[in-house]
Amino acid sequence: MNIAVIGTGYVGLVTGVCFAEIGNTVTCVDIDERKIAALREGHSPIYEQGIEDLLRQNSARGRLHFTTDMADVAHAAVVFLALPTPPQEDGSADLRAVLTVAEALPDFLGEQFVVVVNKSTVPVGTADEVRQVIMKKRANNVAVVSNPEFLREGIAVRDFMEPDRVVLGVSDERAELVMRELYAPLTDELHPLLVMDERSAELTKYAANAFLATKISFINEVANLAERVGANVEEVARAIGADTRIGARFLQAGIGYGGSCFPKDVLALDRTAQAHDYEFRILRAVLEANQAQQARLVEKVQTHYGDLHGKTFALWGLAFKPDTDDIRESPALKIIDTLIAAGATVRAYDPEAAANVARHFADKHQATLVLVDTPEEALEGAHALLIATEWKVFRNADPQVFAQLQDAVIFDGRNIFEPHVMREAGFTYYSIGRAV
Ligand code: NAD
């Protein structure tokens, strides 16, 4: 099938590359000229396992094209919109990118029947809105469907190729047939295609992310209580996770969720509820709990040290989770801001995200934030270490490297070490929810 993907970020690039890999001809469009130039050279602008090989192979086969010119979508039978939907001041999703592209799109489409697919995470009712915008210019031979994306950064290619499920919101029979054909190689009994109306599909995406954010916040609350009552949250999580009704995943206590999805999607769902005169009480609690949790690690630092003036902290991990370079809403950014505001200096290391952090802070913290190239370098001259992301390379660290910490103190926000091992090695070791 000839398809187009508009917006070539984390979702659009994976979508384009994977659909090319299973035999489609794909045109990826973006307004970012530098991104498109890099992609044409075979370089992925994002860090994602396996993406660059697939990008090069499918470009070489002539199945994958990158362009900044919308006119190149003229032959597409399916056009995916994988555009950003960031939060606005009031928390609701900013649909400007989606609606601007939808408005322009009819000018570039061919005569053939075209399915326009909302792959961005968009509030309930957006498929209707996009349809209205498109129909102003083109009333026939076009359908708008909702097809939210559930991929996880870090294992995005695998998630796309072997999805837990594909959700399709559609009310047009012809469009349903086209989408069923497109997804046929990726779906079967174990990887079902779930077809529903557009509004249910749109709500599904928010409900899924809000539920996962709730699960994380729940275990974080248990962790905070565990510290007070002298229990170990890891043991509790293992035991409750063994119950199949609960499930073991997403029960790792830590310093709160971040990333480009959970924070904005929980907020946006809350705003949708408000707009429909419904108070979604659990979401409010999740928002509050996560905000408090993101501050937990620095609170432990402040309790230990009191005054942070003149202190230097090593920080391991900047990405919001391992195996990605994505730093959007990463708890590490707040940790940096708070430590520096309190008078400290930070030496930070991340295997993939340092360049994004340098761009994020630009001229800010010039004298007080040092981004280094190895985990060991971060420790040089530091009084204590903070761990904000559970990269495997940190888990495998030899405790000997911590010997150079001036105060022999470690604040582990991701529980990657065993408390008794660290204590026996002579360190003062703080973690989350493990009083024993
Ligand atoms: P992103 O910021 O990585 O990518 C968006 C891309 O769209 C960028 O490359 C940007 O240059 C491009 N763009 C912006 N305006 C454009 C325009 N007018 N024309 C063409 N291109 C334009 O965002 P993302 O993480 O890929 O997220 C996209 C959507 O998918 C969001 O709604 C997000 O919530 C959702 N989503 C993201 C993930 C994830 O893990 N990142 C997972 C599921 C769903």
Side-chain angles (χ1 to χ4, degrees), residues 172-193:
D172 180 294
E173 274 177 30
R174 250 201 309 177
E176 184 179 332
L177 285 177
V178 171
M179 294 304 287
R180 280 186 183 279
E181 189 187 332
L182 182 62
Y183 273 110
L186 300 177
T187 49
D188 55 26
E189 263 174 34
L190 289 176
H191 310 95
L193 177 72

Side-chain angles (χ1 to χ4, degrees), residues 7 9-11 30 35 83-85 120-121 149 153 261 264 328:
Y10 285 88
V11 168
D30 206 288
K35 212 174 245 192
L83 295 155
T85 51
S120 300
T121 301
E149 181 51 53
E153 287 175 15
C261 292
K264 89 171 164 58
R328 290 178 282 187

Side-chain angles (χ1 to χ4, degrees), residues 5-13 29-33 35 45-46 48 68 70 81-86 96-98 100-101 119-122 148-153 156 205-206 209 260-261 264-265 320-321 326 328:
V5 181
I6 304 182
T8 314
Y10 285 88
V11 168
L13 182 59
V29 187
D30 206 288
I31 44 170
D32 186 333
E33 286 175 8
K35 212 174 245 192
I46 56 165
E48 189 62 58
T68 52
M70 283 271 281
L81 307 183
L83 295 155
T85 51
R96 273 175 302 179
V98 171
T100 307
V101 170
K119 201 157 220 6
S120 300
T121 301
V122 288
E149 181 51 53
F150 298 93
L151 63 77
R152 289 164 293 177
E153 287 175 15
K205 174 65 195 174
Y206 283 102
N209 275 357
S260 67
C261 292
K264 89 171 164 58
D265 293 349
F320 84 94
K321 67 171 185 178
D326 199 342
R328 290 178 282 187

Side-chain angles (χ1 to χ4, degrees), residues 219 222 232-243 246-253:
I219 201 67
V222 173
N232 181 337
V233 71
E234 303 275 303
E235 301 294 352
V236 177
R238 198 150 56 96
I240 64 172
D243 185 328
I246 296 174
R249 312 230 330 248
F250 273 70
L251 284 182
Q252 282 78 40

